[in-house]
Amino acid sequence: MLLGPFEVRDDEGRRVEISGTRLCALLARLALEAGRVVPVEVLITAIWGERPPAGVANALQSLVSRTRRLAGHAAIESQPAGYRLAIDPGDVDALRFERLAGEGGLTALREAEALWRGPALADLTGLPFAANAAVRLEELRLSAAEDRLELELGAGNDVLAELRPLAGAHPLRERLQGLLMRALYTAGRQADALDAYERTRDTLAEELGVDPSAELAELHLAILRHDPQRQDRRRVRRTNLRAQVTGFVGREQELAQLGKALEIGRLVTVVGPGGAGKTRLAAEAAGRAAGLAPDGVWLAELAAVSDPGDVPNAVLTAIGARDGAWFEAAAGGSRDAVSRLADLFGAGRVLLVLDNCEHVVSAAAELADRLLGACPGLRVLATSRESLAIAGESLLPVPPLDWPDGSGGDPLAYSAVRLFAERAAAVRPDFALDDTTTAPVVEICRRLDGMPLAIELAAARMRALGVEQIAAKLDDRFRLLSSGSRTALPRHRTLQAVVDWSWDLLSAGERELATRLAVFAGGATLDALEAVSGLDPLDALTGLVDKSLAELSGGRYRMQETVRSYGMARLAESGEDRAVRDAHARHFLHLAETADPGLRGPDQLRWLATLRAEHDNIVAALRHAADAGDAELGVRLLAAVWWFWYLRGMRIEGVHRTRGVIDLPGEVPAAHRPARLVLRGLLHHELGEHEAARRDVRAALESPGEKGFLLLLAPVVLGDPAQAARVAGRELPRLAGWERALALALTSIGADLEGEVDRAFTLAGQALHDLEGLGERWALSSVLRLLAEHHALRGDLNASIEARSRALRLAGELGMLDDQAEVLGRLAVSYARAGEPERARAYMEAAWDCVERMRQREGVEYVRLAQAEILLRSGERAAALRELEAAADPACPAHVRAWAACLRRSA
């Protein structure tokens, strides 16, 4: 290995100790021409210089013999004209680098640059041949970096942070300065790009007495002119990949292999044992996949999915797909989650990462197979303990991190030791590898089999223990495992050992609290943990954080999934799991029932954020209700969380969760029976069972008990606004506050359907008056949209625009993209009717931007119809008819169909 300090490794990748400058010089000079004969005279000059000693031929032969004894695997063959290193040139990093750099292409260039460990031949540059070779290789390295950076810029990647120091180090290199100018210009920093040119021109004049090249001058002129042909068109990459807070250690070879596998195949599965670092490796590779997936990189974390049927819905949630508003929805069929995903991805070039598939491997395999067959531009990267076992799959096994084998050399050259040292220094800043700590650290890495998670857990113990103590503590534990441990979690035998050991370090109070914290699928606030555990958690919680079994992030205490699973198993062993899970579910039932009315008041945004943060815990509570067969708990939870799902556009999630709970055997209190019937009706509706849905809603209307706003909205959701108006009118006298305002709005819609336009306008105005002081956003936005329609029909465009502008702001505060898209489209039409085509065009573009970010088709008919009307007003009849055709859907609300019919007649 020449790209860095000189190094030799055997066929197993282990370092071979080569001592002595002349031995190293001989091997290095032969390696530069591996596979070819190097003349004796050239070798002599390389080793002894221009004035070799007497008898140098014998000295050379002696060196060759010594080298053969030390590095027999790299056979040195004697030839009549000299000596030949009989290895594949690809085994020499410098030669492999030259080949990859010559191939070009982003993946090859990245792999080429990853081969460098430091300055070329760093410890041999005192020899003339090595100094010359190092200069040549460094120049090739710089040229390869320029080639890669140019490709990165073309792929839309942000390389400015990398370019600035590189261009600063080489001020006379015009290509680098041009790349820096392009990167600055692409980032919208035209003035900085022009300044970079001026600096380069001055430097060239002062140092070399020349002007910039014609190419650099042309680029300067293009930037001055804002030439669009010279501006890189960067695409906004859609991704949910999270920024990492710790460095990525090792795995250079696996990253290169993974990049190449993704380039040539569409399904790659990273396989390996638990804790091997599959997820981090996949995330790193996905983050570098801009060229392969310009239309999006999405990571779906399946670790929390316990039911295989949840896998498609988990992916939908991960990519941020939401359903359209229900306020004006009509009856229609439903589509399964996989079909929705296929629609979302379409023909786009997308990379989907399915993480932690092992416990739902069949479901993950089926999903990947269907999506790959339906979406020609899709690539899937999976992580699992086993393969998905479907056609077209490529496997990438993840080996352990390497550790020293006792042959000497720098221990930090081994990734397992480097990982331990970095993580240990993070918790104990004074820690460093030295003569006393190196041997215990190497022992720890060896005993932990180079598994990243186990090493990180061991390093976390450095807060309280020394490395000698940690190594001694590991001895008994791993001796037990090597003889065949009976482990409670067979999925993670090595990790089981690490967590067992970590668990032994906890006090009794810390262990008890850890089992309680494990119940929180979405992490826990301090107050929630105290309420559920019944303990004073502060001291024990501090101990768990200090010992890295929990972490504090965003005000929430979380466990790694492996540790949480271990804690759940220990809780089950104690026989307390039913009681603790029930306490957890009751706590989140109370939270949801407290938050539910808050979602219809001035603290709406705060409660939305609270339920969003606690959603995984609420889902876990629903799962407990199903597991325990507790119908009352399940129905109350569903009723309390339904409005949150509605506002968040999580209809798929709601249907799925309802399905597992709503039909649990057993009675519920009379007060909750109407809610149970309504929820069952909504489920039937989404499943396309419309008669059963109507039957459930009718039964809910006739049953005693609290009706609530659910019953007011149910007929609208089921596509019967007239029935909703009748229910609202009947319930109106007993209602107050937000529910009264909603009933007035529904009654207004019913009056409008009956042709009582003036009464509808009056009722909507009354609803607005009631809502103005409540501080709630969704109903206020909806009523403003109703009033905007009335104002427009009365010819008062200014009042209509003002109402819709308010509605738009409120929908934006809620993050409801579907509502925003509709209002923006209607505002565009209003401005077109008012004779302001430029403003109409701007609002129309904003509406389409919302549609694009929605990543779904439902609700788009409003935007298409708005576009059609604007096109008709500008005389583009053919384009308008195309939009009308695309918007045709018999399931649309009546007023949408009426608008479409009017537009067709006017076309």
Side-chain angles (χ1 to χ4, degrees), residues 396-422:
L396 181 71
V398 180
L401 299 177
D402 60 337
W403 62 89
D405 58 0
S407 60
D410 182 5
L412 286 175
Y414 297 88
S415 51
V417 175
R418 193 161 68 250
L419 177 64
F420 184 96
E422 288 186 11

PDB file of all heavy atoms in Angstrom, residues 396-422:
ATOM      1  N   LEU A 396     -24.778  -7.840   0.160  1.00  0.00           N
ATOM      2  CA  LEU A 396     -23.521  -7.277   0.632  1.00  0.00           C
ATOM      3  C   LEU A 396     -23.350  -7.639   2.099  1.00  0.00           C
ATOM      4  O   LEU A 396     -23.926  -6.997   2.980  1.00  0.00           O
ATOM      5  CB  LEU A 396     -23.499  -5.755   0.464  1.00  0.00           C
ATOM      6  CG  LEU A 396     -22.193  -5.094   0.922  1.00  0.00           C
ATOM      7  CD1 LEU A 396     -21.067  -5.427  -0.044  1.00  0.00           C
ATOM      8  CD2 LEU A 396     -22.349  -3.593   1.050  1.00  0.00           C
ATOM      9  N   PRO A 397     -22.585  -8.677   2.398  1.00  0.00           N
ATOM     10  CA  PRO A 397     -22.342  -9.027   3.808  1.00  0.00           C
ATOM     11  C   PRO A 397     -21.487  -7.963   4.485  1.00  0.00           C
ATOM     12  O   PRO A 397     -20.547  -7.431   3.885  1.00  0.00           O
ATOM     13  CB  PRO A 397     -21.588 -10.363   3.708  1.00  0.00           C
ATOM     14  CG  PRO A 397     -21.807 -10.848   2.308  1.00  0.00           C
ATOM     15  CD  PRO A 397     -21.963  -9.638   1.471  1.00  0.00           C
ATOM     16  N   VAL A 398     -21.800  -7.668   5.725  1.00  0.00           N
ATOM     17  CA  VAL A 398     -21.047  -6.669   6.489  1.00  0.00           C
ATOM     18  C   VAL A 398     -20.145  -7.400   7.482  1.00  0.00           C
ATOM     19  O   VAL A 398     -20.643  -8.015   8.426  1.00  0.00           O
ATOM     20  CB  VAL A 398     -21.993  -5.710   7.232  1.00  0.00           C
ATOM     21  CG1 VAL A 398     -21.180  -4.678   8.020  1.00  0.00           C
ATOM     22  CG2 VAL A 398     -22.910  -5.010   6.253  1.00  0.00           C
ATOM     23  N   PRO A 399     -18.836  -7.337   7.315  1.00  0.00           N
ATOM     24  CA  PRO A 399     -17.933  -8.026   8.246  1.00  0.00           C
ATOM     25  C   PRO A 399     -17.732  -7.191   9.504  1.00  0.00           C
ATOM     26  O   PRO A 399     -18.094  -6.014   9.556  1.00  0.00           O
ATOM     27  CB  PRO A 399     -16.631  -8.112   7.437  1.00  0.00           C
ATOM     28  CG  PRO A 399     -16.658  -6.886   6.573  1.00  0.00           C
ATOM     29  CD  PRO A 399     -18.114  -6.661   6.216  1.00  0.00           C
ATOM     30  N   PRO A 400     -17.139  -7.774  10.535  1.00  0.00           N
ATOM     31  CA  PRO A 400     -16.800  -6.981  11.721  1.00  0.00           C
ATOM     32  C   PRO A 400     -15.743  -5.929  11.380  1.00  0.00           C
ATOM     33  O   PRO A 400     -15.041  -6.027  10.367  1.00  0.00           O
ATOM     34  CB  PRO A 400     -16.238  -8.021  12.696  1.00  0.00           C
ATOM     35  CG  PRO A 400     -16.659  -9.351  12.151  1.00  0.00           C
ATOM     36  CD  PRO A 400     -16.782  -9.191  10.682  1.00  0.00           C
ATOM     37  N   LEU A 401     -15.617  -4.924  12.215  1.00  0.00           N
ATOM     38  CA  LEU A 401     -14.506  -3.993  12.101  1.00  0.00           C
ATOM     39  C   LEU A 401     -13.209  -4.724  12.451  1.00  0.00           C
ATOM     40  O   LEU A 401     -13.204  -5.630  13.280  1.00  0.00           O
ATOM     41  CB  LEU A 401     -14.713  -2.806  13.047  1.00  0.00           C
ATOM     42  CG  LEU A 401     -15.963  -1.952  12.806  1.00  0.00           C
ATOM     43  CD1 LEU A 401     -16.067  -0.860  13.859  1.00  0.00           C
ATOM     44  CD2 LEU A 401     -15.972  -1.343  11.415  1.00  0.00           C
ATOM     45  N   ASP A 402     -12.125  -4.309  11.796  1.00  0.00           N
ATOM     46  CA  ASP A 402     -10.863  -5.039  12.036  1.00  0.00           C
ATOM     47  C   ASP A 402     -10.139  -4.508  13.269  1.00  0.00           C
ATOM     48  O   ASP A 402     -10.294  -3.362  13.663  1.00  0.00           O
ATOM     49  CB  ASP A 402      -9.958  -4.951  10.802  1.00  0.00           C
ATOM     50  CG  ASP A 402      -9.586  -3.532  10.428  1.00  0.00           C
ATOM     51  OD1 ASP A 402     -10.332  -2.588  10.808  1.00  0.00           O
ATOM     52  OD2 ASP A 402      -8.571  -3.339   9.756  1.00  0.00           O
ATOM     53  N   TRP A 403      -9.358  -5.385  13.894  1.00  0.00           N
ATOM     54  CA  TRP A 403      -8.578  -5.021  15.079  1.00  0.00           C
ATOM     55  C   TRP A 403      -7.184  -5.640  14.955  1.00  0.00           C
ATOM     56  O   TRP A 403      -6.980  -6.575  14.174  1.00  0.00           O
ATOM     57  CB  TRP A 403      -9.263  -5.493  16.369  1.00  0.00           C
ATOM     58  CG  TRP A 403      -9.439  -6.983  16.493  1.00  0.00           C
ATOM     59  CD1 TRP A 403      -8.548  -7.851  17.030  1.00  0.00           C
ATOM     60  CD2 TRP A 403     -10.554  -7.761  16.066  1.00  0.00           C
ATOM     61  NE1 TRP A 403      -9.035  -9.134  16.973  1.00  0.00           N
ATOM     62  CE2 TRP A 403     -10.273  -9.094  16.392  1.00  0.00           C
ATOM     63  CE3 TRP A 403     -11.771  -7.455  15.452  1.00  0.00           C
ATOM     64  CZ2 TRP A 403     -11.162 -10.133  16.110  1.00  0.00           C
ATOM     65  CZ3 TRP A 403     -12.657  -8.479  15.175  1.00  0.00           C
ATOM     66  CH2 TRP A 403     -12.353  -9.806  15.502  1.00  0.00           C
ATOM     67  N   PRO A 404      -6.189  -5.125  15.683  1.00  0.00           N
ATOM     68  CA  PRO A 404      -4.809  -5.610  15.541  1.00  0.00           C
ATOM     69  C   PRO A 404      -4.672  -7.092  15.889  1.00  0.00           C
ATOM     70  O   PRO A 404      -5.340  -7.596  16.789  1.00  0.00           O
ATOM     71  CB  PRO A 404      -4.025  -4.740  16.535  1.00  0.00           C
ATOM     72  CG  PRO A 404      -4.850  -3.507  16.704  1.00  0.00           C
ATOM     73  CD  PRO A 404      -6.281  -3.968  16.596  1.00  0.00           C
ATOM     74  N   ASP A 405      -3.792  -7.748  15.136  1.00  0.00           N
ATOM     75  CA  ASP A 405      -3.595  -9.180  15.374  1.00  0.00           C
ATOM     76  C   ASP A 405      -2.291  -9.462  16.106  1.00  0.00           C
ATOM     77  O   ASP A 405      -1.847 -10.612  16.164  1.00  0.00           O
ATOM     78  CB  ASP A 405      -3.613  -9.939  14.046  1.00  0.00           C
ATOM     79  CG  ASP A 405      -2.542  -9.440  13.078  1.00  0.00           C
ATOM     80  OD1 ASP A 405      -1.784  -8.502  13.452  1.00  0.00           O
ATOM     81  OD2 ASP A 405      -2.457  -9.966  11.962  1.00  0.00           O
ATOM     82  N   GLY A 406      -1.660  -8.414  16.638  1.00  0.00           N
ATOM     83  CA  GLY A 406      -0.426  -8.613  17.389  1.00  0.00           C
ATOM     84  C   GLY A 406       0.826  -8.482  16.567  1.00  0.00           C
ATOM     85  O   GLY A 406       1.934  -8.652  17.080  1.00  0.00           O
ATOM     86  N   SER A 407       0.701  -8.169  15.274  1.00  0.00           N
ATOM     87  CA  SER A 407       1.883  -8.074  14.416  1.00  0.00           C
ATOM     88  C   SER A 407       2.545  -6.709  14.469  1.00  0.00           C
ATOM     89  O   SER A 407       3.548  -6.484  13.805  1.00  0.00           O
ATOM     90  CB  SER A 407       1.493  -8.401  12.964  1.00  0.00           C
ATOM     91  OG  SER A 407       0.513  -7.488  12.500  1.00  0.00           O
ATOM     92  N   GLY A 408       2.001  -5.793  15.243  1.00  0.00           N
ATOM     93  CA  GLY A 408       2.609  -4.476  15.375  1.00  0.00           C
ATOM     94  C   GLY A 408       1.919  -3.451  14.496  1.00  0.00           C
ATOM     95  O   GLY A 408       0.882  -3.706  13.872  1.00  0.00           O
ATOM     96  N   GLY A 409       2.507  -2.269  14.424  1.00  0.00           N
ATOM     97  CA  GLY A 409       1.946  -1.194  13.634  1.00  0.00           C
ATOM     98  C   GLY A 409       1.075  -0.272  14.478  1.00  0.00           C
ATOM     99  O   GLY A 409       0.886  -0.471  15.680  1.00  0.00           O
ATOM    100  N   ASP A 410       0.540   0.748  13.838  1.00  0.00           N
ATOM    101  CA  ASP A 410      -0.266   1.754  14.517  1.00  0.00           C
ATOM    102  C   ASP A 410      -1.649   1.185  14.826  1.00  0.00           C
ATOM    103  O   ASP A 410      -2.397   0.842  13.913  1.00  0.00           O
ATOM    104  CB  ASP A 410      -0.394   2.990  13.620  1.00  0.00           C
ATOM    105  CG  ASP A 410      -1.185   4.106  14.278  1.00  0.00           C
ATOM    106  OD1 ASP A 410      -1.558   3.963  15.458  1.00  0.00           O
ATOM    107  OD2 ASP A 410      -1.430   5.117  13.592  1.00  0.00           O
ATOM    108  N   PRO A 411      -2.056   1.081  16.099  1.00  0.00           N
ATOM    109  CA  PRO A 411      -3.370   0.508  16.412  1.00  0.00           C
ATOM    110  C   PRO A 411      -4.523   1.343  15.861  1.00  0.00           C
ATOM    111  O   PRO A 411      -5.598   0.811  15.578  1.00  0.00           O
ATOM    112  CB  PRO A 411      -3.389   0.461  17.945  1.00  0.00           C
ATOM    113  CG  PRO A 411      -2.350   1.434  18.381  1.00  0.00           C
ATOM    114  CD  PRO A 411      -1.299   1.421  17.321  1.00  0.00           C
ATOM    115  N   LEU A 412      -4.317   2.655  15.710  1.00  0.00           N
ATOM    116  CA  LEU A 412      -5.394   3.498  15.186  1.00  0.00           C
ATOM    117  C   LEU A 412      -5.624   3.286  13.693  1.00  0.00           C
ATOM    118  O   LEU A 412      -6.570   3.842  13.126  1.00  0.00           O
ATOM    119  CB  LEU A 412      -5.079   4.972  15.457  1.00  0.00           C
ATOM    120  CG  LEU A 412      -5.254   5.408  16.916  1.00  0.00           C
ATOM    121  CD1 LEU A 412      -4.804   6.850  17.089  1.00  0.00           C
ATOM    122  CD2 LEU A 412      -6.711   5.250  17.354  1.00  0.00           C
ATOM    123  N   ALA A 413      -4.770   2.498  13.053  1.00  0.00           N
ATOM    124  CA  ALA A 413      -5.026   2.139  11.661  1.00  0.00           C
ATOM    125  C   ALA A 413      -6.147   1.116  11.548  1.00  0.00           C
ATOM    126  O   ALA A 413      -6.639   0.844  10.451  1.00  0.00           O
ATOM    127  CB  ALA A 413      -3.747   1.582  11.014  1.00  0.00           C
ATOM    128  N   TYR A 414      -6.569   0.551  12.674  1.00  0.00           N
ATOM    129  CA  TYR A 414      -7.632  -0.454  12.700  1.00  0.00           C
ATOM    130  C   TYR A 414      -8.932   0.200  13.151  1.00  0.00           C
ATOM    131  O   TYR A 414      -8.984   0.885  14.169  1.00  0.00           O
ATOM    132  CB  TYR A 414      -7.246  -1.608  13.630  1.00  0.00           C
ATOM    133  CG  TYR A 414      -6.016  -2.342  13.161  1.00  0.00           C
ATOM    134  CD1 TYR A 414      -4.744  -1.919  13.556  1.00  0.00           C
ATOM    135  CD2 TYR A 414      -6.123  -3.434  12.319  1.00  0.00           C
ATOM    136  CE1 TYR A 414      -3.614  -2.581  13.111  1.00  0.00           C
ATOM    137  CE2 TYR A 414      -4.995  -4.097  11.874  1.00  0.00           C
ATOM    138  CZ  TYR A 414      -3.739  -3.665  12.269  1.00  0.00           C
ATOM    139  OH  TYR A 414      -2.620  -4.309  11.830  1.00  0.00           O
ATOM    140  N   SER A 415      -9.990  -0.038  12.392  1.00  0.00           N
ATOM    141  CA  SER A 415     -11.226   0.711  12.601  1.00  0.00           C
ATOM    142  C   SER A 415     -11.898   0.405  13.932  1.00  0.00           C
ATOM    143  O   SER A 415     -12.521   1.288  14.528  1.00  0.00           O
ATOM    144  CB  SER A 415     -12.205   0.449  11.444  1.00  0.00           C
ATOM    145  OG  SER A 415     -12.379  -0.930  11.224  1.00  0.00           O
ATOM    146  N   ALA A 416     -11.787  -0.829  14.447  1.00  0.00           N
ATOM    147  CA  ALA A 416     -12.413  -1.139  15.738  1.00  0.00           C
ATOM    148  C   ALA A 416     -11.762  -0.333  16.859  1.00  0.00           C
ATOM    149  O   ALA A 416     -12.443   0.239  17.718  1.00  0.00           O
ATOM    150  CB  ALA A 416     -12.306  -2.637  16.028  1.00  0.00           C
ATOM    151  N   VAL A 417     -10.442  -0.258  16.851  1.00  0.00           N
ATOM    152  CA  VAL A 417      -9.725   0.514  17.871  1.00  0.00           C
ATOM    153  C   VAL A 417     -10.029   1.996  17.720  1.00  0.00           C
ATOM    154  O   VAL A 417     -10.244   2.708  18.705  1.00  0.00           O
ATOM    155  CB  VAL A 417      -8.210   0.248  17.767  1.00  0.00           C
ATOM    156  CG1 VAL A 417      -7.445   1.144  18.731  1.00  0.00           C
ATOM    157  CG2 VAL A 417      -7.907  -1.209  18.042  1.00  0.00           C
ATOM    158  N   ARG A 418     -10.055   2.463  16.472  1.00  0.00           N
ATOM    159  CA  ARG A 418     -10.340   3.888  16.233  1.00  0.00           C
ATOM    160  C   ARG A 418     -11.738   4.250  16.710  1.00  0.00           C
ATOM    161  O   ARG A 418     -11.946   5.311  17.303  1.00  0.00           O
ATOM    162  CB  ARG A 418     -10.173   4.206  14.753  1.00  0.00           C
ATOM    163  CG  ARG A 418     -10.136   5.687  14.445  1.00  0.00           C
ATOM    164  CD  ARG A 418      -9.517   5.976  13.093  1.00  0.00           C
ATOM    165  NE  ARG A 418     -10.329   5.519  11.980  1.00  0.00           N
ATOM    166  CZ  ARG A 418     -10.028   4.505  11.193  1.00  0.00           C
ATOM    167  NH1 ARG A 418      -8.922   3.805  11.412  1.00  0.00           N
ATOM    168  NH2 ARG A 418     -10.819   4.155  10.190  1.00  0.00           N
ATOM    169  N   LEU A 419     -12.712   3.358  16.476  1.00  0.00           N
ATOM    170  CA  LEU A 419     -14.074   3.617  16.947  1.00  0.00           C
ATOM    171  C   LEU A 419     -14.121   3.702  18.467  1.00  0.00           C
ATOM    172  O   LEU A 419     -14.724   4.619  19.032  1.00  0.00           O
ATOM    173  CB  LEU A 419     -15.013   2.508  16.446  1.00  0.00           C
ATOM    174  CG  LEU A 419     -16.464   2.596  16.917  1.00  0.00           C
ATOM    175  CD1 LEU A 419     -17.122   3.854  16.387  1.00  0.00           C
ATOM    176  CD2 LEU A 419     -17.247   1.357  16.480  1.00  0.00           C
ATOM    177  N   PHE A 420     -13.479   2.749  19.150  1.00  0.00           N
ATOM    178  CA  PHE A 420     -13.475   2.782  20.618  1.00  0.00           C
ATOM    179  C   PHE A 420     -12.809   4.065  21.120  1.00  0.00           C
ATOM    180  O   PHE A 420     -13.322   4.732  22.023  1.00  0.00           O
ATOM    181  CB  PHE A 420     -12.743   1.557  21.178  1.00  0.00           C
ATOM    182  CG  PHE A 420     -12.787   1.498  22.672  1.00  0.00           C
ATOM    183  CD1 PHE A 420     -13.743   0.751  23.337  1.00  0.00           C
ATOM    184  CD2 PHE A 420     -11.853   2.204  23.433  1.00  0.00           C
ATOM    185  CE1 PHE A 420     -13.804   0.711  24.723  1.00  0.00           C
ATOM    186  CE2 PHE A 420     -11.890   2.174  24.817  1.00  0.00           C
ATOM    187  CZ  PHE A 420     -12.858   1.431  25.466  1.00  0.00           C
ATOM    188  N   ALA A 421     -11.667   4.406  20.524  1.00  0.00           N
ATOM    189  CA  ALA A 421     -10.927   5.573  20.995  1.00  0.00           C
ATOM    190  C   ALA A 421     -11.733   6.852  20.808  1.00  0.00           C
ATOM    191  O   ALA A 421     -11.760   7.718  21.699  1.00  0.00           O
ATOM    192  CB  ALA A 421      -9.595   5.671  20.257  1.00  0.00           C
ATOM    193  N   GLU A 422     -12.403   7.002  19.669  1.00  0.00           N
ATOM    194  CA  GLU A 422     -13.200   8.211  19.427  1.00  0.00           C
ATOM    195  C   GLU A 422     -14.377   8.304  20.385  1.00  0.00           C
ATOM    196  O   GLU A 422     -14.658   9.372  20.953  1.00  0.00           O
ATOM    197  CB  GLU A 422     -13.695   8.227  17.979  1.00  0.00           C
ATOM    198  CG  GLU A 422     -12.607   8.503  16.968  1.00  0.00           C
ATOM    199  CD  GLU A 422     -13.142   8.658  15.563  1.00  0.00           C
ATOM    200  OE1 GLU A 422     -14.386   8.758  15.396  1.00  0.00           O
ATOM    201  OE2 GLU A 422     -12.336   8.677  14.630  1.00  0.00           O
TER     202      GLU A 422
END
